[in-house]
Amino acid sequence: MTSNGDTSPMVSRCQTLQEAMQLMAARGLESVNVIDEHGRTVGRCTWRMMLRAAADGLDRSMPIGEVLTAFSDKWETKQEGVCAAMPMSESDSKATNELERLRRELEETHRLAETMKTVLDAAYEGVVVVDEDGVVREINRAYCQFLGIRREEAIGKHVTEVIENTRLHICVQSGIPERGYIQKIYGQPMVVHRIPIWRDGKVIGAIGMLIFQGVSEVYEIFRRLQELSREASRKEKQETEAKPQETAASAPKGIERIIGRHPAIAAVKQMIRRAARVPSTVLITGESGTGKEVVARAIHEAGPHADGPFVSVNCAAIPESLLEAELFGYEDGAFTGAKKGGKPGKFQLAHGGTLFLDEIGDMPLAMQAKILRVLEEKKVEKVGGLSGTEVDVRIIAATNKPLEEMVRNGTFREDLFYRLNIIRIHLPPLRERKTDIPALLAYHMERMCRQFGVALKSFTKEAMEVLVHYSWPGNVRELVNVVEWLISMVEGEKVEREHLPSYLSTVQPAASSLPNGGVKMADRWKEMVYQSERERIAAALVAAGGNKAEAARRLGIHRSTLYEKLKKYGL
């Protein structure tokens, strides 16, 4: 029997049970015809058969032709009438419920996939997604239009065959995000983001995005901002202060201070945004070196007190006898050796801004009572003073100690704990967010190389594997120290595995993790270093409007060095 003239839905006998179930669930079908490779109908797959297959626990990847064979003469033909006449058994009922759940799940997955495709195609920016092998798995309409290709021509191909001068496959290998890089496509410089996709501690792909249609568009936006600034004020003083302001503006502020995309850090960023909106006291907890002061500054800079001062006090570093005078200040002649005329305390210095009390768990009990009084009355009284002074201060405290346990032991005041613990932010240790290690290493390497005026260094894949698998007991502080040590000790532009401190090198990277052999991998990473430096120089030239002296200043290198590199890279 052929399918000629038959308009019923059909599936191939080679298709899987899962695909047949998806088709029937999506269209609400009771049955579908099964055809062979010649288009002849060889059987019929019914909803009842799907029900029995689910109840029997058949593998959903089984070809539908084998499912027909398994059920022929066994159930579909002999028991059809019996099952219709007899009441549904308990196993049939369970199977029905399971199949209904699967149907709803498939429908939801289908709707989600359609929604994501709509969002991608509606986006103005070009978006491409590659897997761990660098093969294109998704590309949106905007990118296809820019490249002048159809989606079908890109899907399944290696990204280097689709996009000119791409580094997405290198981003997958390194796990380091590349934001705001310059990439030439069809001779036009483009601004791009390359973001690795992590799952279970492993990079499984990467996302590439065209942020603007070209560097010229970025430069035009920058030019308009300059015009607005000149229109706001044309005073000569503002012209002389333009460069310091530009340098300060380029430094990360607020939430941008927090480097990482791990879910735990994403939750911390969300808490920072919420805490910044209100003046409530914040308590930051976490191991030493996790960046508690960085989070405190981010809250300060993102909140209404951003224009005020940020004053930091390490409660563990100041002797108990001097802590009160340091926090509250003192009057003239308050004690022997006191500075003539007195001195304001940290609370007064932080008026209109934020006071960060680091290591609050090390504060003596007597001082805890005085701090509590200041928090409740919003007034401070200097040592030797007779009256209080009102202060408007946002309090952020931090500790690496278990305050709840200290409260139970009587070493920390319970009333002060509840007064501080209004908004609680806990920072996870670095070993619990290993996917952020490549981004942190790249960020601090670039920052310090620029600060010290040395050529940018990059990590080989072998070195990165060691650094990612290390436990980092000192957390981000230890990572920063390691980066600074590498900048000082490594002569070349590549950080190899043998360059790392010996205590880090206990982790042996698997030999299977080095595709194409060691020589090819070294060549690829050498190319990666050259390409990265070339793109950074090009970006600096664009930002400086072609001014080589200004570009050299932005890169943190001498102008003669810049000329040598321009010649080297043909820029």
Side-chain angles (χ1 to χ4, degrees):
M1 179 179 179
T2 66
S3 59
N4 295 338
D6 190 352
T7 59
S8 301
M10 295 177 294
V11 295
S12 169
R13 65 183 301 167
C14 298
Q15 290 183 265
T16 64
L17 176 62
Q18 174 77 5
E19 291 173 328
M21 293 172 71
Q22 287 177 332
L23 175 64
M24 295 175 70
R27 299 190 183 181
L29 303 172
E30 291 294 331
S31 63
V32 292
N33 289 335
V34 181
I35 60 174
D36 60 14
E37 57 274 14
H38 302 294
R40 295 189 297 267
T41 301
V42 295
R44 193 170 185 80
C45 181
T46 67
W47 186 251
R48 187 180 295 274
M49 184 182 293
M50 297 293 100
L51 186 68
R52 177 60 64 178
D56 291 350
L58 290 184
D59 187 352
R60 296 182 192 174
S61 62
M62 178 186 292
I64 198 66
E66 294 182 16
V67 176
L68 283 175
T69 303
F71 283 107
S72 62
D73 300 327
K74 174 183 176 182
W75 176 79
E76 185 69 22
T77 57
K78 293 184 179 180
Q79 299 187 21
E80 184 80 22
V82 176
C83 289
M86 295 180 63
M88 184 176 292
S89 66
E90 182 179 352
S91 61
D92 285 344
S93 178
K94 290 181 179 179
T96 301
N97 294 336
E98 173 66 13
L99 202 56
E100 178 62 21
R101 185 188 66 79
L102 290 173
R103 186 184 65 81
R104 290 195 301 267
E105 194 176 285
L106 288 171
E107 288 179 350
E108 181 62 28
T109 302
H110 179 72
R111 283 195 296 268
L112 180 60
E114 288 297 318
T115 301
M116 292 304 298
K117 188 176 185 305
T118 302
V119 171
L120 281 175
D121 284 340
Y124 176 76
E125 297 82 1
V127 181
V128 62
V129 181
V130 300
D131 61 17
E132 59 186 345
D133 298 319
V135 176
V136 176
R137 293 304 176 193
E138 189 56 74
I139 185 169
N140 72 342
R141 185 180 303 165
Y143 219 143
C144 288
Q145 289 175 346
F146 177 78
L147 296 173
I149 61 174
R150 292 182 294 109
R151 179 177 178 275
E152 294 75 17
E153 296 172 348
I155 300 298
K157 291 184 178 179
H158 196 271
V159 68
T160 54
E161 301 177 39
V162 179
I163 302 174
E164 183 182 6
N165 297 320
T166 183
R167 286 169 47 84
L168 269 180
H169 56 302
I170 298 176
C171 180
V172 172
Q173 295 172 4
S174 67
I176 299 176
E178 300 177 358
R179 301 180 59 189
Y181 276 57
I182 307 300
Q183 177 179 334
K184 276 194 175 182
I185 305 178
Y186 297 152
Q188 181 179 359
M190 311 291 294
V191 181
V192 301
H193 286 348
R194 307 180 186 106
I195 303 171
I197 303 172
W198 290 82
R199 180 181 295 168
D200 299 329
K202 179 183 177 183
V203 179
I204 61 167
I207 301 173
M209 289 182 285
L210 290 177
I211 305 307
F212 294 96
Q213 292 212 350
V215 172
S216 58
E217 184 176 347
V218 182
Y219 186 71
E220 177 63 19
I221 293 173
F222 180 68
R223 185 187 65 78
R224 292 175 187 172
L225 289 173
Q226 285 183 318
E227 289 179 358
L228 290 173
S229 178
R230 285 194 292 267
E231 290 174 6
S233 177
R234 299 182 181 274
K235 293 180 181 179
E236 196 172 311
K237 182 180 178 181
Q238 289 180 330
E239 292 293 329
T240 59
E241 293 176 353
K243 287 186 178 180
Q245 288 175 355
E246 180 183 343
T247 302
S250 63
K253 290 187 179 296
I255 204 72
E256 295 178 0
R257 287 181 175 273
I258 315 301
I259 307 300
R261 299 172 61 87
H262 188 275
I265 288 300
V268 168
K269 291 180 180 181
Q270 185 64 24
M271 287 294 294
I272 291 173
R273 294 188 186 95
R274 293 173 180 173
R277 294 198 297 259
V278 294
S280 302
T281 304
V282 179
L283 178 62
I284 306 172
T285 60
E287 295 180 6
S288 179
T290 50
K292 293 185 284 293
E293 184 167 351
V294 174
V295 171
R297 287 186 179 274
I299 296 172
H300 168 74
E301 292 168 352
H305 289 79
D307 294 332
F310 179 88
V311 179
S312 178
V313 180
N314 190 319
C315 301
I318 303 173
E320 182 177 348
S321 58
L322 300 178
L323 186 57
E324 182 177 1
E326 189 72 19
L327 289 174
F328 304 140
Y330 54 84
E331 296 288 0
D332 187 10
F335 52 84
T336 303
K339 182 180 177 182
K340 187 176 181 180
K343 178 185 176 182
K346 299 297 186 183
F347 272 92
Q348 287 179 287
L349 293 175
H351 180 72
T354 301
L355 177 62
F356 176 55
L357 300 174
D358 198 8
E359 305 299 347
I360 191 73
D362 293 293
M363 181 175 286
L365 279 170
M367 185 56 61
Q368 292 177 25
K370 296 180 179 181
I371 290 289
L372 178 63
R373 183 178 178 182
V374 173
L375 293 179
E376 291 177 343
E377 297 182 358
K378 304 293 184 183
K379 288 183 179 181
V380 294
E381 186 176 316
K382 290 184 178 181
V383 176
L386 300 176
S387 60
T389 303
E390 290 190 2
V391 289
D392 175 22
V393 177
R394 167 74 179 272
I395 301 296
I396 301 178
T399 184
N400 60 1
K401 294 190 174 181
L403 291 189
E404 290 90 345
E405 184 178 334
M406 294 177 67
V407 168
R408 289 192 295 270
N409 297 337
T411 54
F412 197 87
R413 291 182 63 100
E414 183 178 16
D415 46 7
L416 178 59
F417 171 73
Y418 289 121
R419 188 65 182 80
L420 294 173
N421 193 35
I422 296 176
I423 298 177
R424 181 79 164 263
I425 299 178
H426 179 72
L427 297 183
L430 194 53
R431 62 182 175 274
E432 293 180 5
R433 56 182 187 107
K434 288 183 176 291
T435 55
D436 286 341
I437 291 176
L440 285 164
L441 288 167
Y443 170 78
H444 289 293
M445 177 63 78
E446 179 182 356
R447 177 180 64 83
M448 289 190 189
C449 286
R450 187 168 59 247
Q451 177 183 339
F452 298 158
V454 300
L456 180 66
K457 302 179 189 297
S458 61
F459 298 89
T460 64
K461 185 176 180 65
E462 296 86 348
M464 184 62 73
E465 285 182 346
V466 173
L467 293 167
V468 168
H469 288 91
Y470 178 59
S471 61
W472 298 105
N475 295 297
V476 179
R477 183 184 291 123
E478 182 184 5
L479 182 144
V480 173
N481 291 341
V482 168
V483 170
E484 185 172 352
W485 185 88
L486 290 171
I487 291 174
S488 304
M489 296 295 114
V490 178
E491 294 292 338
E493 296 180 347
K494 289 192 300 182
V495 177
E496 303 282 356
R497 187 179 188 276
E498 55 267 24
H499 293 150
L500 301 177
S502 57
Y503 72 92
L504 294 175
S505 302
T506 55
V507 179
Q508 297 290 338
S512 60
S513 64
L514 303 176
N516 303 325
V519 176
K520 289 186 178 180
M521 178 56 67
D523 291 340
R524 294 178 71 181
W525 280 87
K526 182 177 180 180
E527 178 188 354
M528 177 180 173
V529 172
Y530 288 165
Q531 180 69 11
S532 175
E533 185 176 50
R534 189 179 189 280
E535 289 181 354
R536 291 180 185 279
I537 293 173
L541 284 171
V542 171
N547 187 318
K548 294 182 176 60
E550 174 65 13
R553 187 188 67 79
R554 288 172 176 269
L555 292 166
I557 60 177
H558 195 272
R559 185 164 36 178
S560 60
T561 304
L562 176 62
Y563 283 117
E564 291 176 4
K565 292 186 179 294
L566 291 176
K567 182 178 179 181
K568 175 182 177 181
Y569 295 118
L571 294 173

